[in-house]
Amino acid sequence: MIELQGLTKRYGGSRVVDDISLTVEQGEFCVLIGPSGCGKSTTLKMINRLITHSEGRILVGGEDVTTLPPELLRRRIGYAIQSTGLFPHWRVAENIATVPRLLKWSTSRINARVDELLALFQLDADDLRDKYPHQLSGGQAQRVGVARALAADPDVLLMDEPFGAVDPLTRDALQVELARVHRQTGKTIVFVTHDMDEALRLASRVALLNGGRLVQYDRPAELLVDPANDFVRDFIGRADLGLKLLSRRRVEQYCQPVQGTREATITQAATTHARPTWQVDADNRPLALIGGRLEEPATVRTDVNGEWTATPDMSMKEALSRMVWFRVTALPVLDDQGRLLGEVTMAGVMGHRP
Ligand SMILES: Nc1ncnc2c1ncn2[C@@H]1O[C@H](COP(=O)(O)OP(=O)(O)OP(=O)(O)O)[C@@H](O)[C@H]1O
């Protein structure tokens, strides 16, 4: 748990962080967001004492950070940054082992930990262990940077725009991975970003800063449906609030069980008042949707081609996007064997309250 109590940083006469109080609970994913210069990075760097605060207190696990020896602080708090901060003349394994070596772990323990972290980030140990940072892709370097921050198994991970410098696809993949690693490790994370979509995707709580002050500290859904003021509303972006909400929801939350049929055709009479029907094979894999096409008769049969399907962990924003693009009113939700678990429907999206 991290507690900031009246945290303030002054440079000359200006208070660039101004009386911030908030608590990040154990295992929480807290995102600090706000306009450029609002004090996000300064707040983050005060937590691990890269910057000394002017007023207030910072407690990590109930202890005031100013009373902790630097070595203990480094073990408790991992730190990952946008430029990765990897040492260019050290191989991947040496980079990851930076803090364990400072802590004088044995070689065998360090090697085992490096392998464990490479596996956690789905990095091929045989290929990458002995490479230098300049031989890595941007996405691989970011993963190594985060792996290094986790090396000594810190309770807390601080991340300053770690995915700011990679292309959108890599960024997307890294976000998925970080969310998984967070679920698996249960670390307390404080993460700085400019990007509201990234914040809404990753955060369990969002701290929105402006001019050094904390404007709102809330769960993402609350920020969306109950913004504290117009600044928050504008910052989130009024236009696509509904889509942002859907990007926070998973297909699993909207999935309705449905019974498939082995029949290849359905008569008009049978479908006029009924829901669209899924035709399935003997293993319950969907073959076609009968009905359920926008502006088409209810007997129209559309083959399931794998592109307009959904999985339980897909975002509802993506599921809705697929329905719109493929002009269908429902998507089959598939398990990892491709079998029909249920369906998500346009009507279901509309009927679901935030
Ligand atoms: N060493 C310093 N001396 C004086 N002012 C500073 C110093 N470091 C930061 N500032 C000022 O403090 C304010 C907050 O900076 P900070 O880097 O925390 O903002 P930020 O929200 O992380 O910005 P960005 O999103 O652009 O990275 C800015 O106005 C910055 O100019």
Side-chain angles (χ1 to χ4, degrees):
M1 181 163 96
I2 303 168
E3 290 167 86
L4 310 184
Q5 301 176 345
L7 189 63
T8 297
K9 178 66 190 177
R10 271 184 276 103
Y11 284 116
S14 68
R15 297 165 77 89
V16 300
V17 174
D18 191 1
D19 195 20
I20 289 186
S21 296
L22 60 85
T23 301
V24 184
E25 300 291 346
Q26 176 90 28
E28 193 108 62
F29 198 128
C30 168
V31 172
L32 303 180
I33 193 166
S36 186
C38 70
K40 304 178 291 289
S41 293
T42 306
T43 302
L44 195 77
K45 288 178 184 157
M46 287 191 285
I47 298 174
N48 64 359
R49 285 173 61 192
L50 281 175
I51 293 178
T52 309
H53 55 286
S54 312
E55 290 165 33
R57 293 214 309 162
I58 303 161
L59 307 180
V60 173
E63 287 183 87
D64 190 324
V65 293
T66 57
T67 66
L68 295 173
E71 197 181 87
L72 192 61
L73 204 62
R74 259 188 238 123
R75 187 162 31 187
R76 283 205 186 162
I77 304 179
Y79 184 53
I81 54 176
Q82 182 181 113
S83 56
T84 75
L86 296 176
F87 300 115
H89 303 303
W90 288 7
R91 296 169 199 274
V92 163
E94 293 163 323
N95 264 290
I96 293 177
T98 307
V99 178
R101 277 206 305 215
L102 283 171
L103 298 173
K104 302 201 169 21
W105 288 14
S106 70
T107 309
S108 59
R109 187 174 169 205
I110 289 177
N111 287 340
R113 182 64 178 151
V114 168
D115 286 342
E116 188 184 4
L117 284 163
L118 289 171
L120 183 67
F121 284 91
Q122 292 168 355
L123 292 165
D124 180 352
D126 293 340
D127 182 30
L128 296 174
R129 231 174 180 284
D130 294 325
K131 282 197 165 152
Y132 290 97
H134 76 270
Q135 297 172 305
L136 305 176
S137 72
Q140 287 170 335
Q142 286 297 342
R143 288 180 181 91
V144 173
V146 182
R148 182 176 67 170
L150 285 172
D153 202 21
D155 305 326
V156 170
L157 184 57
L158 305 181
M159 308 183 82
D160 198 347
E161 300 233 26
F163 309 146
V166 290
D167 65 88
L169 272 181
T170 307
R171 190 181 176 108
D172 197 69
L174 289 171
Q175 288 168 354
V176 169
E177 252 168 62
L178 182 62
R180 177 181 55 77
V181 169
H182 178 241
R183 274 197 305 274
Q184 280 177 6
T185 61
K187 299 283 175 212
T188 307
I189 297 180
V190 185
F191 184 105
V192 166
T193 183
H194 278 100
D195 177 349
M196 198 64 197
D197 290 319
E198 183 166 73
L200 294 173
R201 181 166 196 188
L202 293 172
S204 58
R205 267 179 202 274
V206 179
L208 180 51
L209 274 54
N210 191 25
R213 302 200 65 116
L214 181 62
V215 184
Q216 187 164 0
Y217 184 46
D218 247 326
R219 300 198 175 283
E222 285 155 7
L223 206 72
L224 291 169
V225 297
D226 195 14
N229 55 31
D230 278 349
F231 169 77
V232 180
R233 212 168 280 124
D234 287 339
F235 193 80
I236 295 169
R238 295 169 193 256
D240 58 354
L241 266 182
L243 288 178
K244 287 201 161 81
L245 266 173
L246 286 179
S247 73
R248 289 277 310 165
R249 312 239 172 249
R250 292 176 348 130
V251 160
E252 184 173 65
Q253 297 169 270
Y254 288 75
C255 179
Q256 296 291 327
V258 68
Q259 193 73 46
T261 173
R262 302 287 303 283
E263 303 294 322
T265 52
I266 306 282
T267 62
Q268 177 87 44
T271 55
T272 304
H273 300 294
R275 298 155 56 88
T277 306
W278 296 103
Q279 187 208 347
V280 292
D281 68 11
D283 294 320
N284 203 30
R285 291 191 177 82
L287 298 172
L289 176 64
I290 300 158
R293 295 284 307 202
L294 291 171
E295 295 157 20
E296 300 275 2
T299 47
V300 167
R301 184 178 182 284
T302 313
D303 287 338
V304 172
N305 63 3
E307 290 187 73
W308 53 281
T309 58
T311 53
D313 58 354
M314 182 182 281
S315 83
M316 268 314 288
K317 182 177 168 189
E318 174 154 10
L320 181 67
S321 170
R322 287 182 184 206
M323 283 190 247
V324 171
W325 184 252
F326 292 102
R327 299 180 62 75
V328 289
T329 60
L331 293 185
V333 182
L334 308 182
D335 68 10
D336 50 12
Q337 308 288 318
R339 290 176 303 226
L340 186 66
L341 284 172
E343 65 178 6
V344 283
T345 62
M346 286 269 187
V349 175
M350 301 305 171
H352 209 284
R353 295 203 50 84

